[in-house]
Amino acid sequence: MIEVTGLHKRYGQLHAVKGLEFTIATAEAFGLLGPNGAGKSTTIHMLVGALTPDEGRVVIDGAGDASEPAVRRHIGVAPQELAVYDELRGDENLAFFARIHGMRGAELRKRVDWALEFAGLSERRRDRVGTYSGGMKRRLNLACAAIHGPKILLCDEPTVGVDPQSRNHIFANIEALKAEGTTLLYTTHYMEEAERLCDRVAIIDHGELLALGTVDELIAAHGGDAVVEVELHELPEDPSQLPGQLTGDVLRVETDRPFEVAAELGKQLAVRRLKIERPDLERVFLHLTGRRLRDA
């Protein structure tokens, strides 16, 4: 559905995207995971034809790139910068975008009603968007992108700055579109979103592709072992004999057999609290870059 080959973009001395290559299959939910400044939004802009690559090419649905109107009409974009108008009502925003996609009359009214229900905003349809909360604007932003039923939907950080209720609503929207067969490209710097929503994830940093695969594949290849963390009631007589790393009264042991190690430590030590940390995408990013995703 989407083929990206050797994509580069420079802004003066800044090399924002460095040779990105990936493919997205029809009906796949594909994640671009990386910190702010990793090149995610620049990549989105090149995919939709808003920016011209310095090198490389984008092919969408085997027909060309999004600079061609015939290709662009099958794409929806929910940009990171909100593309809704505060002065207009909710239904007026949706009608505006529906008209851009050629809808008129009964078809337009039907799709506006669908989009308001999709966004959970039917009761606020006649209110000016300037009176909406940030989360409601994000939901409307996504509905505007999906109103024409695109085959491909590009979502650039769609949950930035939203409340938990709106975040969960957006997750449900994405999952519903995925179930309907929409091809999705989802950019985020929240690892839990990529783990929940994406079939495959590309981890990027400083414009470069560091790793690509399913969440399980990435964790198996780059996540390292599980960690058993034990908070001790009291230290043993000779703490130097403990496995792992002791910080204060907390012992951390990396292991590929966490349940066995937890059982052994529980028998040998006076334990106040014990937990097992499964490797996740945060750990993958740490191993690939030497820093945590949230701190990048």
Side-chain angles (χ1 to χ4, degrees):
M1 178 64 76
I2 300 177
E3 299 176 24
V4 173
T5 306
L7 214 58
H8 288 262
K9 188 63 185 178
R10 300 173 181 84
Y11 299 100
Q13 297 300 311
L14 175 63
H15 199 165
V17 174
K18 305 174 184 177
L20 282 189
E21 296 200 8
F22 56 82
T23 61
I24 304 175
T26 300
E28 180 178 20
F30 186 90
L32 281 182
L33 176 67
N36 293 330
K40 304 188 300 295
S41 293
T42 299
T43 300
I44 290 281
H45 292 159
M46 287 189 283
L47 291 182
V48 301
L51 283 176
T52 301
D54 295 327
E55 301 174 45
R57 64 194 298 253
V58 175
V59 177
I60 295 176
D61 204 16
D65 62 39
S67 64
E68 302 175 26
V71 174
R72 191 163 55 242
R73 69 170 57 102
H74 297 299
I75 299 173
V77 185
Q80 184 173 352
E81 296 296 328
L82 291 169
V84 294
Y85 297 94
D86 283 353
E87 297 81 7
L88 299 180
R89 303 181 327 201
D91 56 359
E92 289 173 337
N93 268 275
L94 290 161
F96 172 77
F97 285 101
R99 290 189 184 96
I100 287 176
H101 290 287
M103 291 181 233
R104 299 291 186 272
E107 180 190 21
L108 183 148
R109 292 190 294 274
K110 180 179 178 180
R111 289 302 293 177
V112 167
D113 289 343
W114 170 88
L116 287 163
E117 182 68 23
F118 176 79
L121 294 171
S122 295
E123 294 182 359
R124 298 291 303 272
R125 63 181 300 151
R126 298 187 181 281
D127 295 339
R128 286 179 58 251
V129 170
T131 68
Y132 287 7
S133 68
M136 293 167 67
K137 289 181 181 180
R138 283 283 168 199
R139 283 148 48 192
L140 181 65
N141 195 54
L142 180 60
C144 289
I147 193 166
H148 60 300
K151 294 194 293 185
I152 299 169
L153 185 62
L154 310 180
C155 301
D156 191 9
E157 300 273 8
T159 65
V160 169
V162 306
D163 57 276
Q165 180 181 0
S166 288
R167 176 175 282 108
N168 288 332
H169 194 110
I170 289 170
F171 288 168
N173 288 159
I174 296 296
E175 288 167 339
L177 292 168
K178 179 180 174 181
E180 292 170 4
T182 306
T183 301
L184 295 160
L185 176 59
Y186 190 99
T187 82
T188 183
H189 62 276
Y190 298 124
M191 61 149 189
E192 61 272 16
E193 295 188 2
E195 289 181 339
R196 172 174 173 172
L197 300 173
C198 300
D199 298 313
R200 289 189 301 145
V201 177
I203 297 177
I204 65 173
D205 191 32
H206 299 300
E208 295 185 87
L209 177 63
L210 303 182
L212 171 61
T214 66
V215 171
D216 288 342
E217 288 169 347
L218 291 171
I219 290 173
H222 306 287
D225 292 331
V227 173
V228 179
E229 183 178 282
V230 178
E231 184 180 344
L232 302 173
H233 270 297
E234 58 184 32
L235 298 180
E237 291 184 6
D238 186 4
S240 66
Q241 298 301 309
L242 291 173
Q245 180 180 1
L246 181 66
T247 304
D249 60 357
V250 176
L251 176 67
R252 290 175 60 87
V253 181
E254 290 196 25
T255 176
D256 61 357
R257 49 185 192 91
F259 297 104
E260 294 175 37
V261 168
E264 292 168 5
L265 293 174
K267 292 176 183 178
Q268 298 168 9
L269 301 170
V271 174
R272 177 182 293 117
R273 180 182 57 84
L274 184 149
K275 70 175 180 178
I276 296 174
E277 295 178 0
R278 170 185 175 269
D280 55 18
L281 290 180
E282 181 77 39
R283 186 93 64 81
V284 170
F285 189 82
L286 176 63
H287 284 184
L288 288 171
T289 67
R291 65 197 197 282
R292 294 188 176 277
L293 179 60
R294 299 184 190 280
D295 299 332

